[in-house]
């Protein structure tokens, strides 16, 4: 039986400073299962980043409950791994020191941290860069460090908020392929925010499409592609039709 790792149970939300303002989410329900890769599409202002703030515990629902692994936590901070748009690496810390931050926060022993971090740095193609600083790395390498740091939180649920949006086109494609390999190997559950329809189709098992606020439901679209997959799979007629439909939906939502 496939385990449910995230469940929104009739969740409503408006920002606390806007008590009489419009709801962003209104009794929304959805479920994400263990090991899934789910992308979230929607126009700017639809509430994509707010969704992640709710899941991480940076914001609390106005109504309803958010369950992680079937449990309700009044404080969800630290229960999921979060990778933002910017890598947020600390420029004064070395790559090793940046990567080890989640373990330091947990109070891990120095010797244990060094083993865990160095093994992952090698695995992520960053071996030999331990003592360098973020400014000395390429954008793709910095994002790999950021993802490594997210992995070291130990969470089975990882939230990635447009992590490749600042990269050039070629590096972005390379990082997408790299991320899929990491996901297939580690069996984590990933929720991935993106504006890029191609990216969503290439990476995902399912795509959630946000409607205009207040959001009561997200359209849940399965991606009809087998694993493993390559970028050429996006040229299959069935996928081309789905891509055009998604683009039309987003264009319509962005202009209404």
């Amino acid at each position: 039986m496939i385990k449910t790792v995230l469940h929104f149970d009739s969740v409503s939300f408006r920002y606390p400073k806007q008590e009489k303002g419009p709801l962003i989410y209104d009794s929304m329900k959805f479920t994400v299962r263990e090991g899934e890769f789910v992308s979230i599409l929607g126009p700017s202002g639809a509430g994509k980043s707010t969704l992640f703030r709710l899941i991480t515990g940076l914001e609390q629902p106005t109504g309803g409950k958010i369950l992680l692994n079937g449990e309700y936590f009044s404080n969800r901070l630290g229960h999921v791994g979060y990778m933002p748009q910017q890598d947020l690496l600390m420029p004064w810390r070395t790559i090793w020191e940046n990567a080890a931050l989640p373990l330091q926060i947990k109070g891990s022993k120095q010797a244990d941290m060094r083993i865990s971090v160095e093994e992952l740095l090698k695995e992520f193609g960053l071996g030999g860069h331990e003592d360098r600083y973020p400014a000395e790395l390429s954008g793709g390498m910095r994002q790999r460090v950021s993802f490594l740091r997210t992995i070291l939180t130990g969470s089975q649920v990882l939230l990635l908020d447009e992590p490749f949006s600042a990269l050039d086109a070629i590096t972005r494609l390379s990082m997408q392929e790299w991320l899929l390999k990491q996901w297939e190997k580690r069996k984590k559950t990933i929720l991935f925010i993106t504006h890029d329809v191609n990216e969503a189709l290439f990476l995902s098992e399912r795509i959630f499409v946000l409607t205009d606020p207040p959001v009561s439901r997200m359209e849940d679209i399965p991606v009809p592609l087998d694993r493993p997959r390559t970028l050429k799979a996006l040229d299959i007629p069935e996928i081309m039709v789905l891509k055009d439909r998604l683009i039309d939906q987003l264009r319509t939502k962005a202009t209404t």
Side-chain angles (χ1 to χ4, degrees), residues 6-231:
L6 174 66
H7 178 62
F8 268 45
D9 184 6
S10 300
V11 170
S12 297
F13 177 77
R14 62 163 55 90
Y15 279 100
K17 293 182 180 179
Q18 301 174 346
E19 291 183 7
K20 296 183 180 179
L23 285 169
I24 297 174
Y25 292 106
D26 185 9
S27 300
M28 187 170 72
K29 296 181 180 180
F30 72 86
T31 296
V32 177
R33 296 179 289 274
E34 186 176 35
E36 282 194 297
F37 197 124
V38 177
S39 284
I40 301 168
L41 281 174
S44 296
K48 298 187 298 298
S49 293
T50 300
L51 185 67
F52 273 17
R53 291 181 66 83
L54 284 165
I55 296 169
T56 59
L58 292 172
E59 301 288 352
Q60 297 298 331
T62 305
K65 289 185 177 181
I66 298 172
L67 304 179
L68 296 172
N69 295 311
E71 295 185 55
Y72 170 74
F73 298 93
S74 58
N75 182 2
R76 292 179 300 286
L77 291 172
H79 287 277
V80 298
Y82 177 53
M83 181 176 171
Q85 294 180 31
Q86 303 299 321
D87 58 64
L88 299 184
L89 300 181
M90 300 176 185
W92 61 88
R93 294 175 68 116
T94 65
I95 298 309
W96 188 92
E97 291 168 339
N98 268 288
L101 186 60
L103 299 180
Q104 290 177 332
I105 291 172
K106 291 179 181 179
S108 300
K109 295 180 180 179
Q110 186 77 8
D112 293 338
M113 285 194 294
R114 185 156 294 278
I115 292 171
S116 298
V117 173
E118 289 187 356
E119 284 181 356
L120 279 176
L121 285 171
K122 290 177 183 177
E123 187 177 334
F124 282 24
L126 295 163
H129 299 284
E130 295 89 343
D131 297 324
R132 298 177 72 179
Y133 290 88
E136 300 177 83
L137 301 187
S138 67
M141 293 173 77
R142 288 168 64 108
Q143 289 301 86
R144 275 185 270 160
V145 177
S146 183
F147 186 70
L148 187 159
R149 189 168 61 184
T150 306
I151 290 287
L152 285 172
T153 63
S155 174
Q156 285 300 113
V157 181
L158 307 181
L159 311 179
L160 280 57
D161 189 353
E162 297 192 79
F164 308 144
S165 60
L167 303 178
D168 64 82
I170 299 302
T171 304
R172 182 169 183 157
L173 291 175
S174 175
M175 287 300 298
Q176 290 168 5
E177 293 173 329
W178 178 85
L179 177 61
L180 273 187
K181 290 178 182 177
Q182 294 301 321
W183 170 72
E184 289 165 355
K185 178 177 181 178
R186 300 178 188 284
K187 308 301 181 185
K188 300 284 187 179
T189 302
I190 293 181
L191 276 75
F192 188 98
I193 287 178
T194 180
H195 283 93
D196 188 324
V197 173
N198 274 339
E199 185 170 62
L201 288 168
F202 177 54
L203 295 174
S204 312
E205 308 297 302
R206 293 189 288 156
I207 297 173
F208 291 162
V209 181
L210 281 166
T211 58
D212 294 325
V215 181
S216 57
R217 61 176 294 274
M218 295 187 289
E219 185 177 4
D220 184 349
I221 301 173
V223 178
L225 287 175
D226 296 329
R227 303 282 189 185
R229 63 182 64 160
T230 67
L231 288 167

